[in-house]
Amino acid sequence: MSCDVLVVVEHNEGRLKNVSIELLSYFGRLGKDNGVKVVAFVFGDQISEKLYCDIGKLGILQIVSYVDNDLDMQPGLIAGMTVGLAKKIKPKLIVMANTVRSRDSAPLIAQDLDIEMYSDIIDIDYKKTVINLTRLIYGGKAIEKIKLLNQQALITIRPNVLGNHENEAFIPKITRLKINELPINQTYITKAKITKEKAQKPINEAEVIIAIGRGLRRVDDLNMVNDLARVVDGVIGSTRPVVDMGFVRRSHQIGQSGRSVSPRLAILLGISGQIQFVAGISKAKTIIAINKDAKATIFKSADYGIVGDIYAIIPILTRELRKLKLQNR
Amino acid sequence: MKILVLVKEIIDTNSKIIFDKQKKIDESQVKWVVNLYDEYALEEAIRIKEQYGGEVVIYSVGRDRTKDTLNYIMSMGADRAVLIKSERSDAKSVSEILAKHIGERDGDFDLILAGWIGIDCNRGQVPGRVSSILGVPFVNVVIKIDINGQTVICEKEGESSNEIIEAKIPSLITVQRGINEPRYPNILSIMDKTEKKIEIVENIDQIRGKQARINIEPEKDRKKTYMINESDSELAVKMLMKKLIADKVM
Ligand SMILES: Cc1cc2nc3c(=O)[nH]c(=O)nc-3n(C[C@H](O)[C@H](O)[C@H](O)COP(=O)(O)OP(=O)(O)OC[C@H]3O[C@@H](n4cnc5c(N)ncnc54)[C@H](O)[C@@H]3O)c2cc1C
């Protein structure tokens, strides 16, 4: 088996992550239109016929799978498996999602294979002879454009940037991966998982984000924001000071020293629009900003702006969005 | 404990970034600072040393000017620094250079600490690559470190939950904001440029194989904002909803 593109799939207990659906359907499309040979690599627990089927539906013909119900998803092991597979099938491009999990193992894989890696890609143009990649640097002040000619490389693609593509469904061919040895000296022991509150979707995988800034005065006022988030199926993120105050988890901080996100929609509440924050949100498709200060710089980065008090606007906006949602059902 | 800290000198992303005619960033116009996350790593290293004794050594791949940046950050309390001079700035070369010189000079390290990402280029590759070359466990994005005999217990930021991880010593750990509050560098020590031990090493840059072509361009601004400045909140929301529906956002 040889291939052009190896897509490393992420799933939660057998259910494909949205970002993996994007990656698979994007490359599935390329397979159909341009004859690009794509292999999907799945591993972990609760891998079922249904998961294979779901991958086939996205236009993928070849799946390599490694089923291990006790597999500890740590970087050393994921890297070991992926490197082993990549050495066998020699893909030109290894594609991973730019998620916490993949970013742990991606640099190890790239180094073991002795290849370049480009992380947090926000745009890709795949042609037979050249692959063009785009990423943001210097706090979103500059774009880096990469032209891959014929060298093997690993890329991690940001969630929500490729979108979903409809493809003809395939019945995939499954190959089981045999692993001889994993790099045991590069592993650790996972002792426990601590879930502080009810598990929230990672902010960089959210399609809709409600971001709050210091305009929110008390932690109790989060209830009002939660109501809004529920109506639009959104995940709550925030600026750094709001994380520092302990209102929001650090993993949900947006910005230069937090996460960079590309949701379909971002609603920004009481955020001034400092460059360090904007750096993380600038690639949202649509941005709505609400701020009581008409001169707030955040409006420069927004598509829609309301000058007003979030405490007055949020309940009304929630009510109206709920109305619309019920109408559209 | 011998703790190595990987430090990257970066362009201060607060400063205005000016592009010259060749679309290259005008490096004479920018301020150079230490990557924010590396300060957390250094602070953590110093705290471990204060508790268990040992040595804190900074490793950095940079240019001549990097000396000043290192001089500043060393005043937080590092014992010495190794500045490896190289023209390379791609993640792979930098990692290989770091690993090589670490292996030659301080291969008997107990821990390597680093910031989990560089806020300039957002690559997040060097620590992982270095761990891979040196063959030690890689614990990424950590918010708490406790030394426990021959192992280290870390709280690692996960996707939806945090994880408690036990790794053996030696390991490479990257740190996330929230792990500590870095101290300010000691002013007297910053001014005294003589006492600090910065070893400067010239790297012999190898000829590289085929490389991808990389261009940097200024980012474009967003299109015009649809502004609603209406004192009646009900009306403001109605206007927004109408426009969102017309634009097919909703
Ligand atoms: C190295 C470095 C890295 C940083 N990294 C990040 C980062 O990753 N992410 C980040 O967010 N920040 C980061 N910062 C901090 C950043 O510079 C700003 O301080 C921060 O983004 C401001 O947060 P804010 O908008 O919530 O607060 P503020 O700047 O205080 O703004 C609050 C806004 O709310 C408005 N407001 C107040 N009350 C109301 C109301 N009732 N209704 C409507 N509007 C109201 C005000 O008009 C104001 O515009 C970083 C800073 C540095 C130096």
Side-chain angles (χ1 to χ4, degrees), chain B residues 101-140:
Chain B
H101 290 272
I102 287 173
E104 284 170 7
R105 286 176 180 71
D106 291 296
D108 58 341
F109 63 87
D110 294 294
L111 289 177
I112 301 181
L113 303 186
W116 77 278
I117 202 164
I119 64 170
D120 55 342
C121 296
N122 244 333
R123 294 191 289 223
Q125 292 190 39
V126 169
R129 282 180 182 271
V130 169
S131 80
S132 172
I133 304 170
L134 295 173
V136 296
F138 174 49
V139 195
N140 204 10

Side-chain angles (χ1 to χ4, degrees), chain B residues 2-4 26 35 41 56 66 79 82 99 108 116 123 135 143 157 178 185 196 211-212 215 223 236 238 244 247:
Chain B
K2 182 188 264 194
I3 308 167
L4 314 183
D26 185 348
N35 177 36
V56 174
T66 311
D79 295 291
V82 180
D108 58 341
W116 77 278
R123 294 191 289 223
I143 54 169
E157 201 179 85
K196 275 174 294 273
Q211 288 291 304
N215 280 318
K223 61 175 194 305
K238 287 248 157 67
L244 291 177
D247 292 352

Side-chain angles (χ1 to χ4, degrees), chain A residues 212-217 238-242 253-259 269-278 290-293 296-298 308-312, chain B residues 12-14 36-37 119 177:
Chain A
I212 50 177
R214 274 222 300 230
L216 195 87
R217 288 191 288 269
S238 79
T239 61
R240 190 169 90 176
V242 175
Q253 176 189 319
I254 296 164
Q256 195 181 3
S257 55
R259 305 284 178 212
L269 306 167
I271 291 174
S272 61
Q274 298 304 301
I275 178 75
Q276 292 90 354
F277 171 77
V278 171
I290 302 168
N291 194 305
K292 66 178 182 190
D293 175 6
T297 42
I298 194 62
D309 185 344
I310 54 169
Y311 285 86
Chain B
D12 181 0
T13 45
N14 288 322
L36 173 83
Y37 291 110
I119 64 170
R177 196 177 136 87

